[in-house]
């Protein structure tokens, strides 16, 4: 069995009736327990005002912190809202700009396409016009060729017909000249003469077509024609009258002559020989071109002469300036020019003289180099004093002094005797510090020396 505490919350527990035990009937009850006297109630604890004030302060601070966090949260939320609105406005502006730019690009693209289409249409129209003009030119050329061929064929037909007519007119007199009842076969001789002239003439035409020499064919044809004309003239005068003799002789020459004219035209056309009018026009054009070329050459010569005079004036002025500004160098250059076989002081002679005297290019001397170096040093110092290169001054530029700290504060106390430095009274610098000090000293000495020069 458990025993409940006698007090609850500082107060005595009420007596609880005890249920009788079965052991009481059998007299086996346990021994009586001693009764514990109730203790007096403890006094109520005193109120701690400091703790209560601290608790109130903590609660007030917690409330203030919570309120501050709430205000910050609301401010952050409002800032996010404002930022979102601003971002949305900027995005809208950007979208509007992008849309406007897209519209402009689309318009520009449409304009470029339209321009391209216009140019293409113009090019196609120009091509069609060129094709049409070329086609018309070809048609005109073909028509001209057809007309020329037609005229040539007509001329050829007329020449052949005239040749036949002349042969018909000339043959009777020739036959009469060779007629003999006892030797009737001699009538074939006139046919042979006219036929020979015709055959040789055809040989000349074949030579012209084959682009072979043709002069000998034409010579033989004219020989046969002259023989036939002589026969007609001699027999016509003796057997008939002079008119018949002259007419038949002319017929013997006219037929082959007209045909030879036809072949002569074909030869000139084949060889591309110009006509008299074309030759005169070509001669006039060549004469005009020669005159223009001569005028152009005269202008070029005058221009070259003016240029030479200007160059000579410039060279003379340059020589005068050199003699005035650099008299010593000019005297040496004159001697050097004579030694080199030059009549004047050329640029090569002047460069050689300056190099001999100053061992540098013209215009460069030792003084100019010293001046330039001094200016470079001054400019370097100015650049080193620039604000972005000047270190800021602090109260202590060194992290630690290289001298050992004193054990006590320094107090001004003049020595009784003159202070003297002794070897070893100051610790030595480290190796890196000694090297840096030596470099700085050499640089300072070199800079001062250059400035002095």
């Amino acid at each position: 069995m458990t025993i409940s505490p006698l007090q609850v919350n500082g107060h005595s527990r009420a007596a609880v009736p005890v249920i009788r035990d079965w052991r009481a009937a059998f007299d086996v009850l346990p021994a009586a327990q001693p009764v514990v006297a109730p203790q007096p109630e403890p006094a109520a604890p005193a109120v701690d005002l400091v703790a209560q004030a601290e608790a109130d302060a903590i609660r007030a601070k917690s409330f203030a912190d919570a309120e501050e966090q709430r205000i910050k949260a609301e401010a952050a939320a409002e800032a996010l809202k404002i930022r979102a609105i601003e971002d949305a406005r900027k995005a809208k502006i950007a979208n509007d700009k992008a849309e406007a730019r897209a519209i402009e690009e689309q318009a520009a693209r449409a304009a470029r396409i339209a321009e391209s289409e216009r140019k293409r249409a113009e090019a196609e129209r120009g091509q069609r016009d060129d094709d049409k003009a070329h086609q018309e030119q070809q048609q005109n050329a073909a028509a001209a060729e057809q007309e020329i061929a037609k005229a040539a064929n007509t001329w050829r037909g007329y020449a052949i017909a005239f040749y036949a007519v002349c042969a018909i007119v000339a043959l009777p007199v020739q036959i009469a000249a060779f007629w003999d009842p006892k030797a009737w076969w001699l009538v074939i001789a006139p046919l042979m003469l006219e036929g020979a002239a015709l055959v040789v003439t055809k040989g000349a035409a074949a030579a012209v077509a084959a682009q072979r020499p043709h002069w000998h064919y034409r010579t033989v044809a004219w020989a046969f024609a002259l023989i036939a004309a002589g026969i007609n003239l001699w027999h016509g005068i003796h057997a008939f009258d002079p008119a018949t003799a002259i007419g038949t002789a002319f017929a013997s020459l006219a037929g082959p002559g007209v045909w030879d004219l036809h072949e002569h035209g074909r030869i000139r056309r084949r060889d591309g020989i110009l006509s008299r009018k074309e030759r005169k026009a070509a001669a006039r054009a060549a004469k005009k071109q020669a005159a223009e070329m001569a005028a152009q050459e005269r202008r070029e010569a005058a221009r070259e002469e003016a240029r030479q005079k200007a160059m000579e004036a410039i060279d003379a002025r340059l020589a005068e300036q050199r003699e005035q500004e650099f008299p010593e160098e000019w005297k040496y250059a004159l001697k050097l020019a004579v030694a080199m076989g030059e009549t004047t002081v050329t640029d090569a002679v002047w460069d050689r003289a300056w190099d001999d005297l100053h061992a540098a290019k013209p215009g460069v001397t030792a003084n100019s180099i010293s001046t330039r170096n001094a200016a470079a040093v001054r400019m370097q110092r100015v650049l080193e004093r620039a604000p972005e290169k000047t270190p800021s001054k602090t109260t202590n530029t060194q992290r630690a002094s290289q001298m050992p700290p004193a054990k006590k504060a320094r107090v001004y106390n003049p020595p009784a005797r003159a202070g003297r430095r002794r070897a070893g009274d100051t610790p030595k610098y480290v190796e890196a510090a000694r090297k840096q000090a030596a470099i700085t000293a050499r640089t300072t000495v070199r800079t001062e020396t250059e400035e002095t020069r």
Side-chain angles (χ1 to χ4, degrees), residues 414-438:
R417 54 188 177 82
R420 293 183 179 86
R421 297 294 304 276
R422 293 181 176 85
D425 59 353
T426 301
K428 293 183 179 180
Y429 289 95
V430 296
E431 184 67 21
R434 286 201 304 272
K435 291 182 178 179
Q436 186 61 37

Side-chain angles (χ1 to χ4, degrees), residues 227-418:
I227 292 172
I231 293 172
N232 286 331
L233 183 62
W234 179 80
H235 186 68
I237 291 175
H238 290 83
F240 301 99
D241 52 25
T244 301
I246 295 173
T248 54
F250 175 76
S252 296
L253 294 175
V258 170
W259 181 257
D260 189 70
L261 288 176
H262 173 267
E263 294 300 318
H264 182 72
R266 283 209 312 148
I267 293 169
R268 293 178 67 87
R269 183 183 179 187
R270 182 203 66 182
D271 296 340
I273 299 175
L274 301 178
S275 63
R276 184 170 179 271
K277 182 178 180 180
E278 292 174 345
R279 289 196 299 272
K280 286 185 176 181
R284 286 194 298 270
K287 186 177 180 181
K288 183 179 179 181
Q289 184 177 4
E292 291 178 354
M293 292 181 63
Q296 181 67 21
E297 290 178 356
R298 288 193 297 271
R299 288 193 296 271
E300 292 291 338
R303 190 180 297 111
E304 182 66 21
E305 184 179 359
R307 190 183 69 83
Q308 290 292 341
K309 290 182 178 179
M311 293 298 297
E312 290 176 359
I314 293 173
D315 292 340
R317 179 59 181 167
L318 179 60
E320 292 178 359
Q321 292 177 351
R322 285 176 175 175
E323 185 177 3
Q324 294 175 0
E325 298 295 334
F326 309 102
E328 299 297 331
E329 289 81 354
W330 182 255
K331 292 180 180 178
Y332 184 79
L334 290 176
K335 295 179 181 179
L336 187 61
V338 173
M340 295 177 64
E342 297 287 345
T343 58
T344 58
V345 178
T346 60
D347 292 338
V349 174
W350 181 254
D351 295 344
R352 171 76 177 276
W354 196 277
D355 184 71
D356 291 345
L357 296 177
H358 301 285
K361 295 182 179 180
V364 180
T365 61
N367 293 332
S368 64
I369 294 176
S370 300
T371 303
R372 183 183 182 281
N373 292 336
V377 171
R378 290 194 298 272
M379 179 59 67
Q380 184 64 27
R381 288 186 176 181
V382 171
L383 294 176
E384 289 177 354
R385 288 196 296 270
E388 65 274 8
K389 294 186 178 180
T390 304
S392 60
K393 295 183 179 180
T394 57
T395 56
N396 185 11
T397 56
Q398 295 181 349
R399 295 187 59 87
S401 175
Q402 125 266 356
M403 300 297 295
K407 296 181 179 179
K408 57 183 179 179
R410 181 176 180 182
V411 179
Y412 179 71
N413 186 11
R417 54 188 177 82

Side-chain angles (χ1 to χ4, degrees), residues 174-185:
Q174 295 181 32
I175 292 173
F178 284 93
W179 173 253
D180 188 358
K182 297 180 179 179
W184 54 268
W185 62 87

Side-chain angles (χ1 to χ4, degrees), residues 65-265:
D65 293 342
E67 188 68 17
E68 183 181 0
Q69 292 179 0
R70 182 184 67 79
I71 293 172
K72 288 182 178 179
E74 291 180 355
E78 186 67 20
L80 290 176
K81 182 179 179 181
I82 294 172
R83 182 178 298 175
I85 295 173
E86 184 66 19
D87 292 342
R89 186 182 68 82
K90 292 181 179 179
K92 185 177 182 303
I93 293 174
N95 292 333
D96 294 341
K97 289 183 179 179
E99 185 177 0
R101 187 164 55 251
I103 293 173
E104 291 178 358
E105 291 179 355
Q106 184 67 23
R109 188 181 301 109
R112 289 196 300 271
I113 293 173
E115 182 68 17
S116 178
E117 290 293 333
R118 185 183 65 79
K119 291 182 179 179
R120 185 178 62 82
E122 290 181 358
E124 291 179 354
R125 185 166 57 253
Q127 184 66 29
R128 288 195 299 270
D129 294 340
D130 293 342
D131 294 341
K132 184 177 179 180
H134 182 65
Q135 186 176 3
E136 290 178 356
Q137 184 179 3
Q138 287 183 346
Q139 290 177 357
N140 294 333
E145 288 292 334
Q146 289 178 0
E147 186 176 357
I148 292 172
K150 182 179 179 181
N153 291 331
T154 303
W155 161 235
R156 183 173 183 277
Y158 285 170
I160 293 175
F162 184 76
Y163 194 103
V165 171
C166 290
I168 292 172
V169 171
L171 277 175
V173 177
Q174 295 181 32
I175 292 173
F178 284 93
W179 173 253
D180 188 358
K182 297 180 179 179
W184 54 268
W185 62 87
L186 293 178
V187 297
I188 302 175
L191 298 177
M192 180 196 69
L193 289 174
E194 296 293 339
L198 179 62
V199 169
V200 175
T201 303
K202 289 295 184 180
V208 171
Q211 297 184 355
R212 292 183 287 107
H214 51 79
W215 61 271
H216 48 286
Y217 291 97
R218 298 170 68 185
T219 303
V220 173
W222 276 105
F224 286 140
L226 289 173
I227 292 172
I231 293 172
N232 286 331
L233 183 62
W234 179 80
H235 186 68
I237 291 175
H238 290 83
F240 301 99
D241 52 25
T244 301
I246 295 173
T248 54
F250 175 76
S252 296
L253 294 175
V258 170
W259 181 257
D260 189 70
L261 288 176
H262 173 267
E263 294 300 318
H264 182 72

